[in-house]
Amino acid sequence: MDLTKPLRCIVKLGGAAITSKNELETIHEENLATVSSHLRKTMVSGSSSENTIGMDWSKQPGKSDIACPADDFGEHELGLASPFIVVHGAGSFGHFQASKSGVHKGGLDRSLVKAGFVATRISVTLLNLQIVRALAREGIPSVGMSPFSCGWSTCERNMDAVDLHGVSKAINSGFVPVLHGDAVFDDSLGCTILSGDVIIRHLAENLKPDYVVFLTDVLGVYDRPPTEPDAVLLREIAVDGYGRWSVIRPILPNGNKEVEISVAAHDTTGGMVTKISEAAMIAKLGIEVYIVKAATVHSLRALSGEIRGKIPDDWLGTVIRFSG
Amino acid sequence: MDLTKPLRCIVKLGGAAITSKNELETIHEENLATVSSHLRKTMVSGSSSENTIGMDWSKQPGKSDIACPADDFGEHELGLASPFIVVHGAGSFGHFQASKSGVHKGGLDRSLVKAGFVATRISVTLLNLQIVRALAREGIPSVGMSPFSCGWSTCERNMDAVDLHGVSKAINSGFVPVLHGDAVFDDSLGCTILSGDVIIRHLAENLKPDYVVFLTDVLGVYDRPPTEPDAVLLREIAVDGYGRWSVIRPILPNGNKEVEISVAAHDTTGGMVTKISEAAMIAKLGIEVYIVKAATVHSLRALSGEIRGKIPDDWLGTVIRFSG
């Protein structure tokens, strides 16, 4: 199924940005609320915090009442300015369960792996539901779509049987699909973990968004771990036709363009190298990728598409783009 | 994809049985725990409450610790005695949202309907996750599969695009799919509510279970609303090749076999008539259907398959079977 409108953006909500990394299964509520409000501003036409009409009509934990603005919908015009897809990582959800059981290594005939598969799916689904609810409270018509339930599977950890019909149909019907890293079946291993970054590359290849934004917990990609005192934020990285990348800005002191780079310290599925190589694969398609700190003015600007083509001097983040 | 082992049973967890009907979005915890323990006894070979190894390794609300028995899995052999599918209704989840917005009537171009679609899916997904967790805590390898995420849709409320590949693959891999009534796309209306009962009929037609059990909040099907003083529990109903049904036992005082029958007072999607006619459609396929009160000795016996062929005199419930 083709998209009836071009896909504007795929947004990755990094696990490190929207969960509290040191606390098991804990949402970073403040970041998630800010990110959700940024997404509302970017996605929903004519929206403001005053006229937002929430779509989460379920009880909030610890409260007995339901906020249902059904009566306010009379004349309300609600529309997505343009199609978006949201994909989130796991952060402090799912990781404990996956690593305890080794579900990423496969072997579903082992009881522990099978139990870990169940436990991992429960944990990431808990997170997915909380993110869908946060977006819905901002009036974003979001629908959770778990890769496992969508029937997606891998073969030797590469995406294999992937039918995008459901995602496309949701987008064409005016919804924002919210996908996530998930435990899935793998044709050779039995099962594995399909990471959010791999999902994004696959979606980008097939649905050709105008741009892709990775929201993370640091300003962007650094030349070394961002906790080190002399770490330099890389502003622009170019990717050539072979997927090789080099640093364009800033010009690094040692003249070395191929530095050991580092994104979020708490990216767990695959780590920095996977993230950069997935981003490079996307950029190679001619799609600009922005890696930027969540819940900041910089991420709002990246989401709005303001960075496309020309990077403002006062914008902090990393742009990865194709330069044939 | 064919099933590698024959499907033993499809279980419907009626919304009225597992939620508190008068309290919005409230699980009937006691019933759900008993039903989950019954399902464990029926499904998991060699299981007892002592050797149950839980598969919900997520935080319980209000608690900060996680129960992870990963170290106990060393020699533990875990196996489903035979394949099951669980389908649950909505009860006090989803209904409020669906009826406020009229999502069952379609019209996704209306903001209220679109918002109601989002809100309904959030509410039923909340319930699904709680049921998956309750089953997982009993050591049942359950995986939530939302019909919407599975890409199922309807046309004029009849099941239309339905790919059972994902469900079959989950079963063949030793998992118990947990499906539910959901808001889905409808090719003619835009959207509608796909009820758990309609899902069960479709699964039964295609996957041919040995038997189907409907767990509800009354003993079975009555000749009138079960709250009325003279209501008679119908023990056996026969369905002919045209799908017409008649009461075999008890012989009703007025000799009328085609009485106005009544199941749960709080069955919300479709009501009694839908439920009986769906059950009759299943029975017409030669598959026995048991309608029985959840969390009782009667439901445990029905789940175990003990009722097949011959109905014990001390068993309370309704059997619907084919009599060509």
Side-chain angles (χ1 to χ4, degrees):
Chain A
M1 177 180 276
D2 289 334
L3 295 180
T4 50
K5 280 203 261 182
L7 182 62
R8 183 159 151 212
C9 177
I10 301 175
V11 185
K12 166 77 185 287
L13 309 186
I18 48 159
T19 70
S20 299
K21 40 202 169 189
N22 299 322
E23 255 182 294
L24 213 55
E25 295 190 337
T26 305
I27 303 261
H28 193 311
E29 299 284 358
E30 197 185 328
N31 270 5
L32 179 57
T34 307
V35 166
S36 301
S37 139
H38 285 176
L39 287 172
R40 191 233 325 131
K41 284 176 192 157
T42 319
M43 288 183 197
V44 185
S45 46
S47 102
S48 71
S49 57
E50 285 75 41
N51 68 8
T52 296
I53 300 199
M55 299 185 182
D56 174 9
W57 305 348
S58 285
K59 281 199 293 192
Q60 298 300 315
K63 294 183 188 169
S64 62
D65 57 319
I66 284 193
C68 172
D71 300 333
D72 303 337
F73 271 92
E75 298 300 312
H76 193 74
E77 265 311 304
L78 170 105
L80 288 180
S82 41
F84 273 72
I85 298 177
V86 172
V87 181
H88 62 82
S92 61
F93 289 76
H95 252 285
F96 166 77
Q97 292 83 359
S99 61
K100 268 280 178 188
S101 59
V103 68
H104 55 288
K105 290 183 282 191
L108 267 183
D109 47 335
R110 293 177 54 217
S111 298
L112 174 60
V113 175
K114 183 169 282 176
F117 191 94
V118 169
T120 302
R121 295 215 65 242
I122 287 172
S123 187
V124 294
T125 312
L126 276 166
L127 176 60
N128 181 251
L129 190 48
Q130 293 313 309
I131 291 175
V132 166
R133 294 185 70 177
L135 296 172
R137 284 196 291 274
E138 287 288 336
I140 297 169
S142 52
V143 283
M145 301 186 83
S146 282
F148 174 84
S149 305
C150 291
W152 294 5
S153 62
T154 56
C155 186
E156 300 203 347
R157 298 202 180 92
N158 295 311
M159 286 191 87
D160 188 28
V162 171
D163 180 359
L164 294 179
H165 182 269
V167 171
S168 299
K169 192 166 179 183
I171 293 171
N172 287 344
S173 303
F175 292 97
V176 176
V178 183
L179 295 91
H180 59 89
D182 201 1
V184 297
F185 292 136
D186 184 284
D187 280 349
S188 66
L189 304 168
C191 65
T192 193
I193 299 291
L194 174 63
S195 80
D197 291 341
V198 173
I199 292 170
I200 286 179
R201 172 162 61 87
H202 194 85
L203 292 172
E205 280 171 1
N206 287 278
L207 301 177
K208 302 275 190 298
D210 292 342
Y211 53 98
V212 172
V213 180
F214 285 83
L215 301 177
T216 182
D217 65 340
V218 288
L219 285 172
V221 180
Y222 287 81
D223 66 339
R224 71 202 76 176
T227 44
E228 289 188 17
D230 295 329
V232 175
L233 177 66
L234 307 180
R235 308 290 293 270
E236 190 177 344
I237 294 172
V239 176
D240 71 12
Y242 300 98
R244 291 178 308 212
W245 53 267
S246 52
V247 179
I248 303 293
R249 280 201 311 146
I251 295 161
L252 295 173
N254 57 6
N256 183 3
K257 288 180 167 184
E258 296 196 18
V259 291
E260 190 192 321
I261 52 181
S262 190
V263 195
H266 294 269
D267 173 35
T268 31
T269 37
M272 351 273 98
V273 177
T274 309
K275 189 180 285 290
I276 298 297
S277 64
E278 294 292 339
M281 302 275 262
I282 297 168
K284 215 178 72 156
L285 303 167
I287 299 164
E288 291 202 351
V289 177
Y290 314 120
I291 302 182
V292 62
K293 186 168 183 169
T296 62
V297 63
H298 308 294
S299 61
L300 179 56
R301 292 174 80 181
L303 288 169
S304 74
E306 187 195 322
I307 314 300
R308 293 189 70 195
K310 169 125 184 61
I311 310 166
D313 283 338
D314 61 348
W315 182 78
L316 293 179
T318 303
V319 176
I320 304 180
R321 58 162 65 125
F322 182 64
S323 64
Chain B
M1 178 180 276
D2 289 334
L3 294 181
T4 49
K5 280 203 260 181
L7 182 63
R8 182 157 151 214
C9 177
I10 300 174
V11 185
K12 167 76 184 289
L13 308 186
I18 48 160
T19 71
S20 298
K21 40 202 170 189
N22 298 322
E23 256 183 292
L24 214 53
E25 295 190 337
T26 305
I27 303 260
H28 193 310
E29 299 286 356
E30 196 186 327
N31 270 5
L32 180 56
T34 306
V35 165
S36 301
S37 142
H38 284 177
L39 287 172
R40 190 227 336 125
K41 285 177 192 157
T42 320
M43 288 183 197
V44 184
S45 46
S47 103
S48 71
S49 56
E50 286 76 37
N51 68 7
T52 296
I53 300 198
M55 299 185 183
D56 175 10
W57 305 348
S58 285
K59 281 199 293 193
Q60 298 299 318
K63 294 183 189 170
S64 62
D65 58 319
I66 284 193
C68 171
D71 300 333
D72 304 336
F73 271 91
E75 298 301 311
H76 192 74
E77 266 311 303
L78 171 105
L80 287 180
S82 42
F84 272 73
I85 298 176
V86 172
V87 181
H88 63 81
S92 62
F93 289 75
H95 252 284
F96 167 78
Q97 292 84 357
S99 61
K100 268 280 180 187
S101 59
V103 68
H104 56 287
K105 290 182 282 189
L108 268 182
D109 50 333
R110 293 177 55 217
S111 298
L112 174 60
V113 175
K114 183 169 280 176
F117 190 94
V118 169
T120 302
R121 294 215 66 243
I122 287 172
S123 186
V124 293
T125 312
L126 276 167
L127 175 60
N128 181 251
L129 191 47
Q130 293 314 308
I131 291 174
V132 166
R133 294 184 71 177
L135 296 173
R137 281 197 293 274
E138 288 288 335
I140 297 168
S142 51
V143 283
M145 302 186 82
S146 282
F148 174 84
S149 304
C150 291
W152 294 5
S153 62
T154 56
C155 187
E156 299 203 348
R157 298 201 179 93
N158 295 311
M159 284 189 89
D160 188 24
V162 171
D163 180 359
L164 294 179
H165 182 270
V167 170
S168 298
K169 192 166 179 183
I171 293 171
N172 287 344
S173 303
F175 293 98
V176 176
V178 183
L179 295 92
H180 59 89
D182 201 359
V184 297
F185 293 137
D186 184 285
D187 280 350
S188 65
L189 304 167
C191 66
T192 193
I193 298 291
L194 174 62
S195 80
D197 291 340
V198 173
I199 292 170
I200 286 180
R201 171 162 61 87
H202 194 83
L203 292 173
E205 279 170 0
N206 287 278
L207 301 178
K208 302 275 189 301
D210 292 341
Y211 52 99
V212 172
V213 179
F214 285 84
L215 301 178
T216 182
D217 66 339
V218 288
L219 285 174
V221 180
Y222 288 81
D223 66 338
R224 71 202 77 176
T227 45
E228 288 189 18
D230 296 329
V232 174
L233 176 66
L234 308 180
R235 310 288 293 271
E236 190 177 345
I237 294 173
V239 176
D240 70 13
Y242 300 97
R244 291 177 309 209
W245 52 268
S246 51
V247 179
I248 304 292
R249 282 201 310 148
I251 294 160
L252 295 173
N254 56 7
N256 184 4
K257 287 178 168 185
E258 297 195 17
V259 291
E260 191 192 322
I261 52 182
S262 189
V263 194
H266 293 269
D267 171 37
T268 32
T269 38
M272 350 273 97
V273 177
T274 309
K275 188 179 288 290
I276 299 298
S277 63
E278 293 293 338
M281 302 276 262
I282 296 168
K284 215 178 70 154
L285 302 167
I287 299 164
E288 291 202 350
V289 177
Y290 314 121
I291 301 181
V292 61
K293 186 166 184 173
T296 61
V297 63
H298 308 294
S299 61
L300 179 56
R301 294 175 79 180
L303 288 169
S304 74
E306 185 194 324
I307 314 301
R308 295 188 70 195
K310 168 122 184 65
I311 310 165
D313 283 339
D314 61 347
W315 182 77
L316 293 180
T318 303
V319 176
I320 304 180
R321 58 163 62 125
F322 182 65
S323 63

